[in-house]
Amino acid sequence: CGIASAWIFSHLRVDESAPARQENRPLRDLLRVLKDDRRFQVYLLATTAFGLGGLIPSGFYPAVIVNRLNLSYTDVSALAAAQSIFWLIGYLVWGQLLDRFNGVWALRVLYLIMAVIPLSYVWATSGWMLLPSYIAQGLGSAGIDLSFQNATIELARDDRVYEYAALHRAVIGVRGLFGPMLGVWLGQIGVPSAAIFVLGSALYATAAILMMGPIFKRPAPAPSTQ
């Protein structure tokens, strides 16, 4: 598949007439982007809420699978197979939606779908009751791959795309460092796992609500004259 993909990409027509970016900008320009663009601030906040919604409860999923449901390796493999199938289907679905709408719109839907994942672990009494979670994870994984990149490009100023992309990735990295540890800390202070799962879903929903704000109807800030 990798070789076939490389062959397909080699036949893409690229417009090379656009001038290449030559200027070098200082690192402090990243902070200037955060200061000047309110839309992107909200976007990064939604990205953080979304990531924490998945990371905080992630350490508690295996306990449900093993201790409460007593699933076998075969059971888990069947669920994982369903996730992979919907991951593949998800690329076709999200690709169509992105062509028809845009990355910001797709993220709103994506965040709401992902809210199903932690909730499934609250009420699951059998392995099949986790199927919605694995389907949502498959669809969500494909959506993340496509929607994050598209939304970042849509929100970025034309002359600052690299800075916007770098900030987005930096926030994802920082979020990934602290999210799982925050979940473990909540468990250590006595917060029930069900409450942690509900918190994860609430964070997903919060991310969706943030992306629905009227601020995303505004255009990006005008390019600097400097």
Side-chain angles (χ1 to χ4, degrees):
C1 288
I3 293 173
S5 297
W7 181 81
I8 292 172
F9 272 94
S10 70
H11 288 74
L12 291 178
R13 297 292 181 264
V14 180
D15 181 10
E16 298 181 354
S17 61
R21 175 174 169 167
Q22 299 290 340
E23 70 273 17
N24 293 318
R25 289 184 173 136
L27 191 60
R28 64 177 177 271
D29 274 15
L30 291 175
L31 299 178
R32 189 172 299 161
V33 167
L34 280 179
K35 179 181 177 182
D36 295 342
D37 194 339
R38 177 64 176 167
R39 289 193 321 165
F40 203 64
Q41 293 174 13
V42 176
Y43 172 67
L44 292 180
L45 183 61
T47 299
T48 302
F50 161 75
L52 293 178
L55 293 170
I56 289 176
S58 62
F60 299 86
Y61 295 150
V64 173
I65 292 172
V66 175
N67 298 335
R68 187 204 303 172
L69 303 180
N70 298 309
L71 299 185
S72 66
Y73 288 117
T74 302
D75 296 331
V76 177
S77 296
L79 291 171
Q83 176 179 324
S84 297
I85 291 171
F86 279 89
W87 195 339
L88 178 61
I89 295 173
Y91 282 111
L92 303 176
V93 173
W94 291 113
Q96 291 289 329
L97 291 175
L98 285 166
D99 284 341
R100 184 175 180 182
F101 300 101
N102 55 52
V104 171
W105 183 93
L107 283 178
R108 296 167 183 164
V109 179
L110 169 65
Y111 292 160
L112 290 176
I113 291 175
M114 298 288 276
V116 173
I117 298 173
L119 284 182
S120 297
Y121 285 84
V122 175
W123 58 62
T125 57
S126 67
W128 289 112
M129 293 185 72
L130 291 180
L131 184 59
S133 172
Y134 278 80
I135 291 175
Q137 184 65 59
L139 292 173
S141 297
I144 291 170
D145 287 345
L146 298 178
S147 301
F148 268 175
Q149 178 171 310
N150 279 273
T152 301
I153 294 172
E154 291 164 11
L155 294 173
R157 272 177 23 191
D158 290 343
D159 63 331
R160 299 280 181 172
V161 174
Y162 299 140
E163 285 85 350
Y164 279 73
L167 280 169
H168 183 230
R169 292 300 176 181
V171 167
I172 290 176
V174 173
R175 178 195 72 185
L177 286 174
F178 295 101
M181 291 188 290
L182 181 56
V184 172
W185 175 76
L186 290 174
Q188 288 177 339
I189 64 175
V191 178
S193 59
I196 293 175
F197 295 145
V198 171
L199 172 62
S201 289
L203 286 168
Y204 280 133
T206 299
I209 293 172
L210 287 171
M211 293 300 295
M212 294 176 186
I215 194 170
F216 289 102
K217 296 180 181 180
R218 302 177 188 174
S224 173
T225 56
Q226 289 183 341

